[in-house]
Amino acid sequence: MANNSDTPPAKPRAPRADQPDSSRAPGDPVPSKAEILAYVASADARVTKRDIARHFKVKGADKVELKARLRALKDEGALEQDPAKSLRTANALPSVTVVEITGTDVDGDPLAAPTQWDGDGAPPRIYLAPDKRRRGPALAKGDRALVRLSLNRDQRTYTARIIKVLDSQPNRVLGVFRGGDLGGRVEPIQKGAKKDFWVDRGDDGGAEDGELVLAEPAGRGHKHRPMGLKPVRVIERLGDVSGPRAISRIAIHAHALPTVFPKAAIDQAEQAQPATLGRRTDLRDVALITIDPRDARDHDDAIHAEPDTDPANPGGWVLTVAIADVGHYVRPDSALDKAARERGNSAYFPDQVVPMLPEALSTDLCSLMPGQDRACMAVRIWIDRDGHKRRHRFMRALMRSAANLTYEDAQFAADGHDDGTVGEALTETVVKPLFAAHRALARARDARQPLDLDMPEKKIELDEAGRVVAIRERERLPAHRLVEDFMVLANVCAAETLEQKRTPCMYRVHEEPSVDKLDSLREFLESLDLAFPKAQTVRPAVFNRVLDRARAAEVEHLVSEVVLRSQTQAYYSPENRGHFGLALARYAHFTSPIRRYADLLVHRGLIRALGLGGDGLTDADAEQMERIGEHISTTERRAMLAERDTVDRYLATYLAGRVGEIFAGRIAGVTRFGLFVELDETGASGLVPVGSLVGDYYVFDENARALVGRRFGHTFRLGDRADVRLVEVAPVKGGLRMELLGEPSLPAGRPGANGRPPRKAKAKPKPGGAKAKASAKGAKGGRGKPPRRKTAGKRR
């Protein structure tokens, strides 16, 4: 967060007396190393050896000693020198550089990052100073600018002042190559891209028609280049766009997900050895089990429950949650650590996973496989009969999983329908106690009243060739909620322990909705005759009561969508602001370190706080927690967008052969330019353009989330049922176009094709009359010019 101490440019500061070599010896005309570093760090322009000599008035033979000290600073890694002989402190940025806008902090202050960064760890945070002289719209995420940087007083962050806004046109284009006699074209895969790019003969890189390619801007292009098409050259061929895994490759390249691990990281992962007991707690006799989806490739959490034998806690339970000890293998500042931090998290696609860690760890040494000794971080939790936590204790342990069950297997066994997959012994001693303990946890959860949004989720099923064979709704079982509640409780314990030990914690933050969103939600609910109270503090229970009333009024799906959209996006931060959705005062992610870097940081924090080893959170990472939190929040959103785009393309590919068919659906989005209808069968969403709606002239009502007919008042509202015909499919872009069926019958005197009432013919003005003079004056651009016709509600 920007504050007064961050934003002003730095001024040269006298070095501290307690720093080594902080001051010159008496009579020494050459500046000390500390004085040199302080001057270079505070300079707002390029610095050379001559500048340093001039600033400190070093002359004659003393320049030899100055050069020796500069050489020593470079050998020590404290100073860096670029090809232009300019000096800067290590891991510092040049005073003039190109930055890209990355978003805003929690207070809305613009943030930027250098487009090139060769230093260690994440690049320094850059605040964008307001430029009152610059006109035009504010810079948005992804825009680039040439800036002058000033190091802030904290010696870690920068303030950037814009010199020039650069062309934000992407340097590279991902698209489908289409060959031709005089050259070729690249059809960009991004939704909304309106123009192709031109490829001259010889610039196609050998690409064949229909291949997915990566291209970069070329020169001016061939004389046969069509007007308006920018020239590009193919730099990478990515295979047949209709081939297996092409859809996920599109998303991976479009969102720049890292896919190749550095060799040093691969070597470290492959050379890792299984952990031994040593000083760890031995949990190998505890029947911990993992419960995961049927297609899970890594198993990083295991659970166990048994009745508490303490007479002071009748009906209570002792829970154990064991999580893969990823920190044992991924040491701070190692090649593995740097690769994991860059990725931030794993990304999951229907046909593949882009993992945060190499497979030697993610699917082997860090995966809690049955019958295998595995290192783990475990927490033992004591709860009472109503699920309230009494106490907890963390430990570093060695475990041996008793079984890996699917959610379906665990649920069938608990319900008494086991077909032998689980077995009677495991069912009675492990599975049923887990479900009994969960009933206590569920009572505590219900009393807490977290936000209860149950949104259906679709699962895409592929055959061996990578083709979509079915799209099904994921079944929600009590076993899913059991695992979720165990993990939530373990996460709370981690946050509480780090707070108690005053150790930096990477919190998972979900702030309450903004006042503007709440006001908008209130207006919408009033249109449905559903009250939403005005209060200083809003709790999840208030939303739950609204959802209950919506369920009774049979508009639950509609209200759930709008309530979901009113929520803020969760993020990672070292500053605790609570978790609104879970109704928790403090919360951190601890239970998935194989796939989330935030969890690995929490593990390291616990190791440091509890003295569980020498591989805990480092001082350097503790100081950079805010920057790391911003980075992994960004990588999380990047992965989510890539996963969502992939699902859209798979759905479009699945529906490509069904153009012309009629589907039942529900209006899932309303905009000025049309309706988005979500199909019941697949969950795919397509656009019904406003121009295709006949019967009226439709205007967007933002408060009601509806398109309303101006003349006859017919309304298309968010959540309404709709039957549509599939008109067009764009599989590569993931787009669908539909037309609405069963529209309202037209009153007598049908409006024109665009829904407007027909115009009456105007009488011609009499020669020399007032109207004729006004018309003539308007034709010359005078005050008699007719007013511009409004086009609100219609996309032109």
Side-chain angles (χ1 to χ4, degrees):
M1 184 174 82
N3 54 45
N4 293 335
S5 64
D6 282 342
T7 51
K11 297 181 179 179
R13 297 188 298 173
R16 288 167 30 198
D18 60 345
Q19 289 178 331
D21 192 25
S22 62
S23 59
R24 309 182 215 184
D28 187 354
V30 181
S32 68
K33 291 181 180 179
E35 287 176 306
I36 293 171
L37 290 174
Y39 171 71
V40 173
S42 62
D44 60 358
R46 63 191 297 266
V47 176
T48 63
K49 295 177 183 178
R50 181 177 298 178
D51 296 324
I52 295 172
R54 184 182 298 115
H55 178 79
F56 290 102
K57 300 179 181 179
V58 180
K59 300 178 181 179
D62 295 326
K63 290 184 178 179
V64 177
E65 177 60 22
L66 175 62
K67 289 182 180 179
R69 293 189 184 181
L70 291 173
R71 189 181 307 112
L73 286 169
K74 287 189 285 184
D75 291 342
E76 294 165 6
L79 275 183
E80 296 175 344
Q81 183 172 317
D82 62 23
K85 305 297 183 183
S86 295
L87 295 166
R88 66 173 183 263
T89 55
N91 286 338
L93 293 168
S95 58
V96 176
T97 190
V98 176
V99 300
E100 180 176 318
I101 308 303
T102 58
T104 59
D105 64 8
V106 294
D107 288 333
D109 295 323
L111 296 173
T115 55
Q116 294 185 346
W117 171 247
D118 300 322
D120 296 331
R125 173 187 279 193
I126 300 173
Y127 293 105
L128 200 65
D131 187 356
K132 297 180 180 179
R133 297 171 299 173
R134 182 175 175 270
R135 297 181 179 180
L139 293 181
K141 184 176 180 179
D143 288 341
R144 299 182 305 134
L146 181 68
V147 300
R148 183 176 299 279
L149 296 177
S150 299
L151 188 66
N152 293 329
R153 290 175 182 169
D154 60 8
Q155 298 294 304
R156 294 183 294 108
T157 63
Y158 290 85
T159 293
R161 287 177 171 78
I162 296 174
I163 299 174
K164 180 182 179 182
V165 177
L166 304 177
D167 183 8
S168 60
Q169 174 71 21
N171 291 327
R172 293 185 172 185
V173 178
L174 183 68
V176 180
F177 178 75
R178 301 298 182 190
D181 294 336
L182 301 177
R185 295 174 180 245
V186 172
E187 300 174 354
I189 56 92
Q190 290 88 352
K191 290 182 181 179
K194 299 188 181 305
K195 288 188 177 181
D196 295 344
F197 292 83
W198 177 254
V199 181
D200 274 344
R201 283 181 296 186
D203 283 347
D204 57 13
E208 298 180 0
D209 190 79
E211 274 193 316
L212 184 68
V213 298
L214 193 63
E216 66 179 8
R220 297 186 61 182
H222 194 271
K223 65 181 180 180
H224 297 295
R225 173 168 61 94
M227 184 72 68
L229 298 190
K230 295 184 177 181
V232 295
R233 66 171 60 89
V234 175
I235 59 173
E236 187 176 355
R237 299 167 60 188
L238 302 173
D240 184 0
V241 73
S242 62
R245 294 197 172 188
I247 290 177
S248 56
R249 279 204 306 269
I250 290 174
I252 289 168
H253 281 270
H255 294 277
L257 269 63
T259 56
V260 179
F261 285 100
K263 183 178 183 302
I266 293 289
D267 291 344
Q268 287 180 4
E270 293 179 347
Q271 292 166 10
Q273 298 297 318
T276 56
L277 183 60
R279 298 175 60 186
R280 294 175 179 272
T281 303
D282 194 345
L283 295 180
R284 287 176 290 183
D285 290 336
V286 179
L288 288 150
I289 64 170
T290 61
I291 304 178
D292 292 293
R294 194 173 298 280
D295 56 355
R297 300 180 61 194
D298 53 63
H299 312 283
D300 55 3
D301 56 82
I303 54 179
H304 180 265
E306 61 184 2
D308 190 355
T309 57
D310 185 353
N313 187 27
W317 293 88
V318 181
L319 316 179
T320 303
V321 178
I323 307 299
D325 189 357
V326 174
H328 175 75
Y329 301 100
V330 183
R331 302 300 176 100
D333 207 34
S334 64
L336 268 172
D337 181 46
K338 291 176 181 178
R341 182 180 298 188
E342 178 193 11
R343 295 175 180 228
N345 46 261
S346 299
Y348 293 86
F349 303 99
D351 61 341
Q352 64 174 306
V353 177
V354 178
M356 186 181 79
L357 299 174
E359 289 192 359
L361 294 181
S362 61
T363 62
D364 189 4
L365 287 182
C366 292
S367 189
L368 308 180
M369 306 299 294
Q372 301 291 322
D373 288 359
R374 289 291 184 259
C376 66
M377 285 284 292
V379 57
R380 185 154 281 166
I381 310 167
W382 287 260
I383 63 173
D384 64 21
R385 68 173 67 212
D386 292 320
H388 299 116
K389 182 171 69 70
R390 294 166 59 90
R391 59 191 174 96
H392 69 270
R393 179 170 63 88
F394 281 93
M395 66 195 83
R396 223 166 177 180
L398 194 69
M399 63 160 286
R400 185 180 296 159
S401 173
N404 170 227
L405 304 183
T406 66
Y407 286 108
E408 293 80 7
D409 291 341
Q411 190 64 57
F412 291 159
D415 294 342
H417 305 307
D418 180 36
D419 59 0
T421 302
V422 177
E424 183 179 353
L426 195 66
T427 297
E428 295 299 325
T429 60
V430 179
V431 175
K432 288 187 176 180
L434 279 171
F435 277 80
H438 179 247
R439 285 191 285 273
L441 280 182
R443 287 192 287 272
R445 183 197 66 232
D446 293 343
R448 194 176 75 243
Q449 293 196 58
L451 186 60
D452 188 17
L453 278 174
D454 191 12
M455 306 299 292
E457 182 182 357
K458 297 290 185 179
K459 179 183 178 181
I460 297 174
E461 296 182 1
L462 308 177
D463 61 15
E464 293 182 357
R467 295 184 296 265
V468 181
V469 293
I471 298 173
R472 310 183 195 279
E473 187 171 312
R474 290 185 185 271
E475 188 178 9
R476 284 285 295 174
L477 301 170
H480 288 91
R481 183 58 69 89
L482 180 152
V483 174
E484 289 173 3
D485 287 343
F486 270 70
M487 297 304 115
V488 166
L489 182 57
N491 288 335
V492 170
C493 292
E496 287 182 355
T497 297
L498 292 177
E499 270 194 15
Q500 291 166 1
K501 297 295 183 180
R502 298 186 178 181
T503 301
C505 176
M506 187 62 76
Y507 292 98
R508 179 64 167 178
V509 178
H510 180 225
E511 298 184 73
E512 66 181 46
S514 66
V515 174
D516 290 343
K517 286 188 175 182
L518 289 177
D519 288 342
S520 178
L521 174 63
R522 187 177 293 107
E523 291 177 359
F524 170 71
L525 292 174
E526 287 175 354
S527 70
L528 300 176
D529 294 326
L530 295 174
F532 190 81
K534 290 185 178 181
Q536 294 289 337
T537 303
V538 178
R539 298 184 182 279
V542 176
F543 290 99
N544 292 338
R545 287 194 288 271
V546 170
L547 291 169
D548 288 340
R549 293 196 296 271
R551 194 173 296 116
E554 299 184 353
V555 288
E556 180 187 10
H557 190 282
L558 166 61
V559 174
S560 295
E561 284 282 351
V562 180
V563 168
L564 178 63
R565 296 178 191 189
S566 71
Q567 304 301 305
T568 60
Q569 190 168 29
Y571 62 93
Y572 293 106
S573 172
E575 183 178 350
N576 181 24
R577 300 193 175 189
H579 198 293
F580 176 80
L582 292 174
L584 292 168
R586 58 193 57 80
Y587 192 66
H589 277 163
F590 159 77
T591 54
S592 293
I594 287 180
R595 61 184 180 91
R596 292 188 305 228
Y597 193 79
D599 302 54
L600 177 56
L601 289 174
V602 171
H603 278 229
R604 289 176 179 167
L606 292 168
I607 293 169
R608 171 175 174 158
L610 301 173
L612 298 177
D615 48 359
L617 188 70
T618 63
D619 290 340
D621 281 351
E623 293 176 358
Q624 297 184 67
M625 290 287 272
E626 191 169 359
R627 259 192 298 168
I628 297 172
E630 292 170 358
H631 170 69
I632 59 180
S633 296
T634 300
T635 60
E636 178 188 48
R637 288 190 287 271
R638 177 182 66 183
M640 288 172 58
L641 290 172
E643 292 164 0
R644 190 181 306 159
D645 286 354
T646 299
V647 170
D648 288 345
R649 291 188 176 97
Y650 267 116
L651 292 173
T653 301
Y654 181 65
L655 293 170
R658 303 179 65 179
V659 172
E661 289 189 29
I662 296 174
F663 298 87
R666 187 184 299 272
I667 297 176
V670 182
T671 68
R672 288 178 173 81
F673 51 84
L675 308 170
F676 285 94
V677 176
E678 182 180 292
L679 306 184
D680 294 341
E681 178 185 336
T682 61
S685 182
L687 175 66
V688 178
V690 67
S692 69
L693 300 175
V694 299
D696 211 330
Y697 177 69
Y698 291 94
V699 178
F700 179 56
D701 185 334
E702 185 173 2
N703 291 334
R705 268 78 163 184
L707 285 177
V708 181
R710 179 182 291 178
R711 185 179 184 193
F712 303 116
H714 186 77
T715 300
F716 296 105
R717 187 192 298 273
L718 186 70
D720 284 352
R721 300 293 308 172
D723 291 330
V724 294
R725 177 181 286 110
L726 185 60
V727 175
E728 183 181 354
V729 177
V732 175
K733 294 186 179 182
L736 306 175
R737 186 165 64 85
M738 306 171 180
E739 64 180 14
L740 205 62
L741 302 179
E743 294 187 59
S745 58
L746 301 179
R750 175 189 173 101
N754 64 355
R756 288 181 178 275
R759 288 186 172 184
K760 295 180 180 180
K762 292 185 178 180
K764 295 183 179 180
K766 296 179 181 179
K771 289 186 179 180
K773 293 179 180 179
S775 297
K777 194 172 184 179
K780 295 179 181 179
R783 294 174 64 184
K785 183 177 180 179
R788 181 179 296 175
R789 182 162 54 91
K790 293 182 179 180
T791 59
K794 194 80 168 176
R795 185 179 174 186
R796 301 295 181 189

